[in-house]
Amino acid sequence: MRLIKFLWIFFLLIFSEFIYAANQTASVDVVTTIPVSCQFSNISPQIIISENGGLSTGSFTLNCNKNFELQLSSKSLKDGDVLTSVKTVNGEKLNTIVKVNFIGNSYELDEVKQIRVLDPSSSELGTISINLANPIHATTPAGVYQDVLYLDATF
């Protein structure tokens, strides 16, 4: 009987590694990178200023996934004018009033403006309104008067 117990214990010791399950764990890092992006869309291709002094409007949408700054400027301001204006190729000019509504604020473009957005939503709508600063007269030189508005997003 002792021999049977001894054999049974010996058998259990030899095959005990098969009786107890061993656990092993490992980990794998899962990573993705979302690139920073800002994109303009729905930009008004042209804003035609009313010659009777009425307000003309345009709009744009800006989508960013990170804090950004929006710089507002115009060709006339970059060319050194004190006020925004539309000009003919011959140099005749008419001063304008340009206002940009963006993220609940209104900005008059009387100099290059830098708007800082610290908490962008998925889509920010902006509107641009322009009118002549002074009414035109019968003596106002005929021609096509133009300016360019610049919207630059940096992030």
Side-chain angles (χ1 to χ4, degrees):
M1 188 57 129
R2 279 190 182 180
L3 183 62
I4 293 176
K5 283 186 182 181
F6 176 74
L7 289 174
W8 180 249
I9 292 173
F10 180 72
F11 176 77
L12 285 176
L13 288 175
I14 291 176
F15 296 106
S16 65
E17 64 184 84
F18 300 115
I19 294 173
Y20 297 104
N23 289 333
Q24 292 186 0
T25 60
S27 63
V28 176
D29 289 340
V30 178
V31 179
T32 187
T33 301
I34 307 298
V36 176
S37 69
C38 276
Q39 181 178 5
F40 284 101
S41 61
N42 304 319
I43 301 169
S44 297
Q46 186 177 54
I47 301 172
I48 299 173
I49 300 173
S50 173
E51 59 191 56
N52 66 8
L55 195 63
S56 301
T57 61
S59 63
F60 63 92
T61 302
L62 180 56
N63 297 309
C64 291
N65 64 355
K66 185 180 189 303
N67 301 351
F68 65 93
E69 289 186 3
L70 177 64
Q71 183 181 46
L72 308 170
S73 187
S74 71
K75 183 174 183 337
S76 57
L77 289 173
K78 287 187 175 191
D79 287 347
D81 289 354
V82 177
L83 301 172
T84 56
S85 61
V86 287
K87 298 178 189 175
T88 65
V89 292
N90 296 333
E92 299 291 335
K93 78 176 182 177
L94 302 171
N95 290 332
T96 57
I97 298 170
V98 178
K99 292 184 180 177
V100 177
N101 290 314
F102 190 66
I103 310 180
N105 296 306
S106 182
Y107 303 92
E108 185 168 342
L109 195 56
D110 52 3
E111 63 181 349
V112 175
K113 298 283 189 201
Q114 197 83 7
I115 302 168
R116 188 171 209 181
V117 181
L118 298 176
D119 187 20
S121 70
S122 60
S123 182
E124 302 290 355
L125 176 65
T127 59
I128 303 165
S129 60
I130 303 173
N131 62 305
L132 294 174
N134 301 304
I136 60 169
H137 303 287
T139 58
T140 302
V144 176
Y145 292 75
Q146 294 180 312
D147 195 9
V148 178
L149 297 179
Y150 300 108
L151 308 168
D152 298 309
T154 56
F155 43 92

